Amino acid sequence: MSVPTTVSAVRPAGRPGPDGATGPAPRPGTAAASGGPDASGPTLARHIVVIGGGIAGLAAAHRLTGAGLRVTLLESTGRVGGKLRSGEIAGTPVDLGAEALRVPRPEAVDLARAVGLGDRLRVPAATDAALWTRGALRPIPSCRGRDVLGRARTADTYEVSLRAAVPQLFEAARHDGALLTGVRAVRRRTAEQQRRAAEERQAVERRRIAEERRIAEQRRLADRPGTAGQPGLPGRARSGPLVPRPRSGFTRPGPGAGADVGCAGPESAGGLPGGPRGAHTIPDLSRGGPDYLGLDGGAGTLAGAVADAVRAAGGEILRNTPALALTRGPYGWEVRTAARTLLCDGLVLATPAWTAATLLAAEAPLAAAELSEVAYASMALVTMAFRRSHLEGLTAFDGRCGFLVPPGDGHTIKASTFLTRKWDWLSERAKDLFLLRTSIGRYGQEEILYLDDADLVSAALRDLGEATGLTARPVATDVTRWIGGLPHYAVGHPARVTRVRNGLSTLPGLRLCGAAYDGVGVADCVASGQRAADEIIAAEAA
């Protein structure tokens, strides 16, 4: 006999049940206190618990609430967003974590639009980046008119993130003795990724065109005499309002790349041809455009907007509430916290791999063992504000949004982003200031991160002075440490992820998502969370 599924009960952990035993109470509508089926009990909305309040968990919760499921999100810390974090320096809002949304993978940009941030999307203003190597800032290397990823230098945007490619090039060059050999190796490894990304974009564009045609037809029918009040015709489109098109003068930007610490990658020049500096519109991504976008006010604001949308849809977000244990029961999952036990029909684990390993140790020991092998790197972001007048005459900052530093050159910083050059919205807010940040800490070389803040700032200033000629002291600084912040994908990582997911396939209603699996960028994490939610929705509907 099939047992109806209901809203999960929530009761303080350890409180005696009706029979005097501790543990979760019988679920309403599934089993009566006597143990028999409660055929007359009401069937209510199914309950999904999302563990982890980073952008992957938030994206999953947003998707699940949009499908009408009851969602409870548990976040172990006092804030949501994970590596998306907003802050302030010298009175100016600034990102203290990831600060750009990748366009070729559109999930993060689409999510921003879905939660009402579409009018705050901004193209990067800077047009170039450099490598600091052999004592000078040098252009990103190219071979016979092609960029480091092997693509011809045209107005088309890059397909692959420099954040992943540049370290591979450095490593290949060190082992093989030639940068060209490294370029060829990277091209081979990324060819399949480029093909899949192109197919995905084409599919997204086809769906977008079909949806716009459907909405246009509904509106046309609604405007016809005698159709007012007909169900489904003049109503709101299920996918939300259409995104306004930019004016026809918007064209593809020229080629260029920019360093982006924490979410580093190529940044095509963007803007509005013929328009005044600081004028903004929503970029038409379907017709080409920048490879990355930012948000006016900072990418960190995306997390708060998604959390607000989840709450508005009926979801519950519990901060300072770590999950302590998971148990698979006869009617679903039991999630134990310090204060209570939650019963649910499905689970999304949007946590670092080591947390997922701990939670899954009892129910899936082999998968937990695999997850415990995923390594993590730590880093620190040193954000600084300078008087603009103190940078006059320093050409290193002209036309660039930053530089990357190859390993092995003996420097402390590994990258720097010229925030005021990169984002017009920052330049407009901090008119007398120049904001930049540096990234410190490489995988396996993270002892320096435990120095005092003042020592990290001094180290960053020393390297900045050598690279750019900057000698001024900042008027404000901020040091943000991300200990264990980024998973380090070792050789064989995709195979490990496949083994983990295959091993968990026998546990109904459980999915994993986050940076530990399919990519560390914001868009990768959003896509991972949405994929996990979609699979749970499909399973619930089956």
Side-chain angles (χ1 to χ4, degrees):
M1 176 186 298
S2 61
V3 180
T5 306
T6 70
V7 167
S8 307
V10 178
R11 194 183 69 236
R15 180 178 297 177
D19 58 357
T22 60
R27 299 172 62 190
T30 54
S34 61
D38 182 10
S40 62
T43 299
L44 305 175
R46 296 173 76 86
H47 183 205
I48 309 298
V49 170
V50 177
I51 302 177
I55 191 60
L58 289 170
H62 181 262
R63 190 80 124 206
L64 291 164
T65 55
L69 296 174
R70 179 185 169 217
V71 174
T72 301
L73 185 147
L74 306 180
E75 167 55 37
S76 62
T77 69
R79 53 173 289 272
V80 296
K83 306 311 176 296
L84 284 174
R85 182 174 181 178
S86 297
E88 185 178 281
I89 185 167
T92 304
V94 68
D95 282 309
L96 302 177
E99 43 112 19
L101 312 178
R102 191 176 177 219
V103 172
R105 176 143 211 176
E107 289 86 353
V109 172
D110 290 345
L111 180 61
R113 287 174 167 158
V115 297
L117 300 182
D119 60 343
R120 289 169 52 184
L121 291 168
R122 297 291 183 264
V123 296
T127 60
D128 197 11
L131 295 178
W132 183 30
T133 183
R134 303 192 308 279
L137 291 175
R138 305 176 185 277
I140 299 291
S142 62
C143 301
R144 296 182 181 179
R146 293 180 175 268
D147 59 49
V148 292
L149 302 178
R151 301 191 66 213
R153 289 187 178 274
T154 68
D156 293 333
T157 56
Y158 293 115
E159 302 287 350
V160 182
S161 172
L162 276 179
R163 187 176 191 278
V166 169
Q168 296 179 43
L169 291 177
F170 292 148
E171 188 70 15
R174 184 173 65 179
H175 287 292
D176 300 332
L179 181 61
L180 182 57
T181 303
V183 170
R184 290 169 176 166
V186 172
R187 290 178 62 187
R188 289 194 298 270
R189 287 193 293 267
T190 58
E192 180 62 20
Q193 178 183 352
Q194 293 178 3
R195 183 188 65 78
R196 290 197 302 267
E199 292 177 351
E200 182 178 351
R201 286 195 303 276
Q202 292 171 2
V204 169
E205 178 65 7
R206 287 194 296 268
R207 290 195 296 269
R208 183 190 65 78
I209 293 173
E211 182 67 6
E212 288 190 359
R213 287 175 177 171
R214 183 185 69 80
I215 295 171
E217 178 64 14
Q218 284 186 342
R219 291 174 176 170
R220 185 184 67 81
L221 294 175
D223 292 336
R224 291 171 53 187
T227 59
Q230 291 187 15
L233 291 182
R236 181 181 175 184
R238 288 177 296 174
S239 62
L242 291 176
V243 176
R245 295 279 189 184
R247 62 176 181 262
S248 59
F250 185 85
T251 59
R252 292 186 179 184
D260 174 5
V261 184
C263 195
E267 307 287 358
S268 296
L272 302 175
R277 184 174 180 83
H280 301 295
T281 191
I282 301 174
D284 182 3
L285 303 182
S286 67
R287 301 178 182 178
D291 203 29
Y292 280 82
L293 295 177
L295 283 170
D296 190 338
T301 59
L302 175 61
V306 177
D308 290 343
V310 169
R311 295 188 188 97
E316 183 180 21
I317 297 178
L318 303 177
R319 295 178 296 175
N320 295 309
T321 308
L324 304 179
L326 305 179
T327 304
R328 178 68 186 172
Y331 301 117
W333 288 93
E334 301 172 7
V335 183
R336 185 171 293 274
T337 71
R340 55 183 178 172
T341 295
L342 291 85
L343 298 174
C344 60
D345 305 285
L347 271 175
V348 176
L349 293 187
T351 66
W354 71 80
T355 302
T358 301
L359 293 174
L360 293 171
E363 295 292 339
L366 294 181
E370 291 273 15
L371 288 171
S372 67
E373 294 297 319
V374 177
Y376 277 75
S378 300
M379 64 182 298
L381 295 178
V382 180
T383 308
M384 294 177 275
F386 297 86
R387 296 293 179 194
R388 290 197 189 188
S389 58
H390 293 166
L391 276 71
E392 292 179 359
L394 297 179
T395 59
F397 297 97
D398 294 342
R400 289 192 178 115
C401 62
F403 61 86
L404 298 169
V405 185
D409 277 20
H411 301 300
T412 300
I413 65 175
K414 63 180 183 180
S416 180
T417 304
F418 307 154
L419 297 171
T420 308
R421 289 279 188 266
K422 187 172 184 179
W423 303 115
D424 275 342
W425 68 267
L426 262 177
S427 180
E428 293 161 7
R429 279 176 168 79
K431 296 185 180 299
D432 299 325
L433 298 176
F434 187 92
L435 307 183
L436 61 79
R437 69 181 187 181
T438 62
S439 174
I440 297 175
R442 300 182 187 275
Y443 176 70
Q445 302 175 358
E446 301 162 356
E447 297 83 358
I448 191 172
L449 301 184
Y450 297 96
L451 295 176
D452 291 339
D453 287 1
D455 292 330
L456 285 178
V457 171
S458 296
L461 285 171
R462 184 169 55 250
D463 279 358
L464 279 171
E466 186 177 344
T468 67
L470 179 66
T471 59
R473 301 294 300 179
V475 298
T477 62
D478 181 275
V479 176
T480 308
R481 290 174 174 81
W482 295 102
I483 304 302
L486 292 174
H488 179 75
Y489 293 171
V491 175
H493 178 77
R496 169 173 283 127
V497 172
T498 298
R499 291 194 299 271
V500 168
R501 285 178 168 151
N502 289 341
L504 297 178
S505 61
T506 58
L507 297 176
L510 174 66
R511 293 296 185 272
L512 302 175
C513 66
Y517 307 104
D518 306 306
V520 300
V522 177
D524 297 314
C525 293
V526 170
S528 179
Q530 291 176 342
R531 169 186 170 180
D534 288 343
E535 290 176 355
I536 288 209
I537 293 167
E540 294 294 318

